[in-house]
């Protein structure tokens, strides 16, 4: 059976690319397609020597740096990729990858990271954060997002089977496309993490510093708790905002290597996570190090952190609102609790390993597209 794997674009080795890596491991004979490929040489190992087939966007002016600005052309670009020779098409999609054209004798499985977030329920948040709430440019962007929504719904009809990366995203798929989706959490490199030794007296937050991650909110909360120490790892547009809010008990380390991040995860008393994520890999990585998680109780965290049922199996607790008071109250509840078992945290994280992902995906694919 000829197999094609379709990805949005290849620019960095991050969460969705790690899904593609496992799909390529599972189907080493598959060909890979993408809108564009600008992966740096030091991040190409997961492709296994493949040269992806790309669209016309690859050759547009300044595409290497500004390819995301060509988003309005990406639906057309996806539709120009010729997949007619393939029997099984697997798309890894958070924007346009699922829009490839397929025929009635082909099976199209979409592993959906999310319907286009900034075109659907997060549109207003995206426009506000981008300063596009009024003016001519704002109305042009709104019109483009309207067009993207129409195209997104239409192309959902070309997908035979959806697989969602969390139950949270399965609900979004149901609302946006009117389709049911199996749930398969994305792969986490649990083997790359290990239980640490004794916990030290600090909390850790680690993430890209972009608005929806709410990193300044965590800094502000710990600024109100001078007796609690926070170490924060990450860089991005909100770094200076975090620096302005930081007090002496808050250490901002900026971008750090994987080894430094893992070391802090192993030693931290707890990991603080304030984002509403589709899934959220870092809370799983923290648990793989035996570190419990204090998380905002929405989105994927509800599926990766255990805070109900047998107390001996708890791996963290939730706060109900994205505000300073809620985070402070959660930290105080964490301090007042009976503690968490690092082994329970590790066992929970192991549910999301690479082998588990590949095994479950293969089971679903064999059900959807029997040989």
């Amino acid at each position: 059976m000829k197999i094609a794997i379709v990805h949005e674009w290849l620019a960095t080795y991050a969460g969705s690319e790690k899904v593609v890596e496992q799909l390529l491991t599972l189907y080493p004979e598959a060909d890979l397609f993408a809108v564009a490929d600008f992966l740096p040489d030091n991040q190409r190992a997961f492709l296994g020597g493949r040269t992806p087939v790309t669209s016309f966007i690859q050759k547009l002016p300044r595409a290497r740096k500004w390819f995301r600005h060509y988003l309005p052309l990406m639906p057309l670009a996806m539709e120009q990729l010729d997949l007619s020779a393939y029997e099984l098409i697997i798309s890894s999609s958070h924007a346009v990858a699922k829009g490839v054209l397929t025929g009635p004798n082909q099976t199209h499985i979409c592993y959906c990271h999310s319907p286009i977030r900034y075109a659907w329920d997060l549109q207003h948040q995206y426009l506000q954060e981008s300063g596009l709430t009024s003016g001519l440019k704002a109305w042009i962007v709104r019109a483009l997002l309207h067009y993207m929504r129409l195209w997104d719904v239409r192309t959902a009809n070309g997908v035979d089977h959806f697989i969602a990366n969390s139950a949270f995203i399965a609900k979004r798929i149901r609302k946006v496309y009117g389709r049911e989706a199996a749930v398969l959490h994305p792969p986490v490199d649990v083997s790359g993490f290990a239980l640490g030794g004794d916990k030290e007296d600090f909390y850790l937050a680690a993430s890209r510093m972009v608005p929806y991650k709410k990193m300044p909110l965590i800094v502000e909360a710990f600024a109100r708790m001078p007796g609690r120490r926070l170490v924060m790892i990450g860089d991005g547009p909100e770094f200076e905002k975090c620096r302005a809010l930081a007090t002496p008990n808050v250490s901002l380390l900026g971008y750090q290597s994987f080894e430094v991040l893992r070391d802090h995860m192993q030693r931290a008393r707890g990991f603080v996570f304030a984002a509403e994520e589709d899934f959220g890999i870092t809370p799983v990585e923290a648990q793989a190090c035996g570190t419990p998680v204090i998380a905002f109780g929405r989105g994927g965290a509800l599926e990766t952190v255990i805070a109900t049922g047998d107390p001996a199996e708890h791996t963290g607790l939730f706060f109900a609102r994205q505000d300073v008071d809620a985070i402070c109250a959660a930290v105080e509840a964490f301090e007042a609790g009976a503690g968490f078992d690092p082994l329970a945290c590790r066992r929970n994280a192991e549910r999301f390993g690479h082998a588990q992902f590949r095994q479950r995906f293969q089971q679903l694919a064999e059900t959807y597209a029997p040989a």
Side-chain angles (χ1 to χ4, degrees):
M1 184 165 55
K2 290 197 68 176
I3 300 172
I5 295 173
V6 186
H7 191 50
E8 240 86 44
W9 48 75
L10 294 160
T12 186
Y13 177 60
S16 60
E17 288 72 33
K18 292 175 182 178
V19 169
V20 171
E21 179 179 26
Q22 296 306 310
L23 293 175
L24 292 174
T25 301
L26 190 57
Y27 302 108
E29 74 283 8
D31 294 324
L32 180 61
F33 294 77
V35 163
D37 172 20
F38 297 118
L39 270 173
D41 290 342
N42 63 353
Q43 297 183 28
R44 302 188 69 84
F46 79 96
L47 296 180
R50 293 176 181 81
T51 300
V53 178
T54 56
S55 74
F56 64 82
I57 288 178
Q58 181 81 22
K59 298 180 180 179
L60 292 180
R62 299 183 180 180
R64 177 173 293 275
K65 185 175 182 181
W66 300 107
F67 69 90
R68 288 180 177 84
H69 289 68
Y70 289 117
L71 179 66
L73 296 177
M74 288 185 186
L76 175 62
M78 273 295 166
E79 292 171 352
Q80 302 314 303
L81 295 174
D82 183 5
L83 301 179
S84 58
Y86 297 90
E87 298 162 89
L88 174 62
I89 292 92
I90 302 170
S91 60
S92 164
S93 184
H94 59 76
V96 298
K98 74 169 183 29
V100 292
L101 300 179
T102 59
N105 295 320
Q106 297 173 294
T107 298
H108 181 181
I109 300 172
C110 175
Y111 186 84
C112 186
H113 305 276
S114 177
I116 309 175
R117 301 173 186 89
Y118 38 84
W120 291 100
D121 52 312
L122 299 184
Q123 174 190 278
H124 301 294
Q125 177 181 325
Y126 163 74
L127 293 172
Q128 186 174 15
E129 291 173 354
S130 303
L132 295 170
T133 55
S134 61
L136 178 61
K137 186 176 180 181
W139 282 106
I140 292 173
V141 172
R142 289 173 189 270
L144 287 173
L145 292 176
H146 174 71
Y147 153 71
M148 292 297 293
R149 282 192 292 273
L150 295 176
W151 180 85
D152 194 33
V153 171
R154 182 190 66 75
T155 57
N157 292 324
V159 175
D160 295 289
H161 305 280
F162 277 101
I163 302 174
N165 75 351
S166 65
F168 179 67
I169 291 304
K171 290 173 66 176
R172 187 177 281 166
I173 290 170
R174 188 179 305 117
K175 181 174 284 288
V176 170
Y177 304 142
R179 300 283 298 278
E180 296 300 317
V183 174
L184 173 58
H185 297 113
V188 180
D189 185 18
V190 176
S191 63
F193 297 82
L195 290 170
D198 294 336
K199 296 299 182 182
E200 299 181 17
D201 194 20
F202 72 90
Y203 291 86
L204 176 67
S207 175
R208 289 180 297 117
M209 292 192 179
V210 292
Y212 85 95
K213 297 287 189 177
K214 304 295 182 184
M215 298 294 268
L217 190 68
I218 300 173
V219 175
E220 190 176 356
F222 276 83
R224 286 199 194 175
M225 299 182 289
R228 311 291 185 205
R229 184 178 167 220
L230 173 69
V231 175
M232 184 167 278
I233 292 176
D235 201 359
E238 299 242 293
F239 183 84
E240 290 304 321
K241 186 175 182 180
C242 289
R243 190 201 298 273
L245 292 167
T247 48
N249 62 314
V250 176
S251 300
L252 299 177
L253 303 187
Y255 173 81
Q256 295 293 325
S257 67
F258 169 74
E259 290 75 18
V260 172
L261 172 64
R262 179 177 57 191
D263 174 62
H264 281 80
M265 280 186 169
Q266 290 171 330
R267 293 187 291 115
R269 181 173 175 80
F271 185 83
V272 186
F273 187 74
E276 181 180 341
E277 285 275 21
D278 302 334
F279 175 70
I281 288 177
T282 51
V284 178
E285 293 172 339
Q287 291 172 82
C289 295
T291 300
V293 178
I294 303 171
F296 177 50
R298 291 274 295 274
L302 292 174
E303 301 170 53
T304 61
V305 179
I306 300 173
T308 58
D310 184 354
E313 296 300 317
H314 286 184
T315 66
L317 54 82
F318 299 118
F319 51 93
R321 303 180 312 280
Q322 287 175 310
D323 62 39
V324 170
D325 289 340
I327 294 175
C328 290
V331 172
E332 294 304 322
F334 183 93
E335 290 282 345
F340 295 86
D341 182 359
L343 290 175
C345 294
R346 176 73 190 185
R347 284 194 300 271
N348 184 48
E350 287 173 347
R351 297 188 294 129
F352 306 99
H354 288 171
Q356 287 81 355
F357 175 87
R358 292 195 302 268
Q359 180 183 25
R360 177 61 176 151
F361 190 95
Q362 187 171 32
Q363 289 172 346
L364 289 169
E366 288 174 354
T367 300
Y368 296 153

